[in-house]
Amino acid sequence: MRHAGLIIAAILIISLAACDERKTHNAAQDSGYTETVTDSTVYGVCGTGTSMHSVELVTDDGDTLVYAVYDAPDDSCDVYNDDMAVSKVCGGLMAGDRIAVLPRMTDNELVAARVINITSLLGHWTSIDRNFVIEEGGTVTSSVKTESNPWTSWKILNGRLLLNRDTFDIAELGADSLFLENKRGIFAYKRQR
C-alpha cells in the first residue's frame, strides 16, 4: 500500500510540474514578446551593368551597387565558407528583374554571397502535395482545398525564403523548377504554365 502511495505522489508532482511549465510558456506567449531578426538582404532591380562575375543592383533607395560574383569550385550550394567567398545565384541575372542580394565583405571587396531573382521566383508551382502561386507583394495562394497547412505569405529574409513560418534555402531556381531545402529535406516543385 505504501508503494502505491509513492507512485501516486510521484504522478501528482510530475503533473504539477508540467502544469507550471505550461503556465510559464503561455505567459511568455501572452507577454507580446517577439524576436526581431534584422534582414541584411539588399533589394532592388538588376542593372544593365551586370556581367558574368559582377551584379549591378539599383537598390530600392536609388543607389547603384556593384557586387562581385564568385563561382563555387565544385558547383556546391554553399553560400560561402570561411576560406573563400563563393556566390549562389538563384534564378539567373536579367537586367530589369527584381532581385535580392545577400552581401558579404571579403578582402575589402563587396561580394554577393547569394542572389535571388524574385521575378523568377514569382509564379505557379506544383508538387505531389502542393499547388501554390507566389505573387508580388508577399502573398501566396493555394489551389489545394484539402491542404492542412497552406502557405499564405512569403518573404526573403537574410537570403532565405520564408513561406509562412517555414524557412527554406533555395537550392535551385530555374525557368521551370524550384528546389527548396530545410532541415526536413529537399522539396522539388515544377512551374505550372
Side-chain angles (χ1 to χ4, degrees):
M1 189 69 162
R2 183 174 178 199
H3 184 65
L6 288 175
I7 292 174
I8 292 172
I11 291 172
L12 284 172
I13 291 172
I14 291 171
S15 297
L16 289 173
C19 287
D20 187 47
E21 185 177 317
R22 268 188 258 134
K23 285 180 185 174
T24 303
H25 178 70
N26 289 338
Q29 287 177 338
D30 295 339
S31 71
Y33 172 77
T34 57
E35 184 178 346
T36 305
V37 177
T38 303
D39 187 10
S40 58
T41 311
V42 183
Y43 302 90
V45 174
C46 186
T48 57
T50 297
S51 67
M52 187 172 175
H53 294 289
S54 68
V55 60
E56 181 183 76
L57 176 71
V58 179
T59 69
D60 290 345
D61 294 333
D63 298 327
T64 300
L65 303 172
V66 177
Y67 298 91
V69 175
Y70 293 115
D71 294 330
D74 59 356
D75 291 330
S76 70
C77 291
D78 294 336
V79 174
Y80 54 80
N81 59 39
D82 292 334
D83 299 329
M84 61 182 281
V86 295
S87 303
K88 176 67 178 172
V89 177
C90 304
L93 295 171
M94 179 70 84
D97 283 359
R98 183 149 177 76
I99 60 174
V101 177
L102 181 64
R104 180 174 190 213
M105 191 62 121
T106 304
D107 296 329
N108 295 325
E109 183 177 34
L110 199 53
V111 176
R114 181 166 293 248
V115 180
I116 300 169
N117 187 320
I118 296 172
T119 302
S120 294
L121 181 65
L122 300 176
H124 191 169
W125 299 99
T126 62
S127 70
I128 292 172
D129 61 339
R130 293 217 184 244
N131 187 342
F132 59 96
V133 179
I134 298 177
E135 300 173 344
E136 285 189 50
T139 303
V140 177
T141 56
S142 178
S143 300
V144 178
K145 302 297 181 208
T146 59
E147 194 172 320
S148 61
N149 185 20
W151 292 320
T152 57
S153 66
W154 72 273
K155 69 178 179 178
I156 303 294
L157 181 66
N158 294 321
R160 292 190 165 87
L161 176 63
L162 273 65
L163 292 166
N164 289 2
R165 299 182 86 178
D166 298 331
T167 303
F168 297 96
D169 283 317
I170 299 175
E172 185 179 322
L173 173 58
D176 61 356
S177 60
L178 171 64
F179 293 89
L180 301 178
E181 183 176 6
N182 66 12
K183 61 186 173 189
R184 295 181 302 162
I186 297 177
F187 305 90
Y189 302 95
K190 178 182 171 187
R191 188 180 298 275
Q192 186 69 33
R193 302 216 184 253

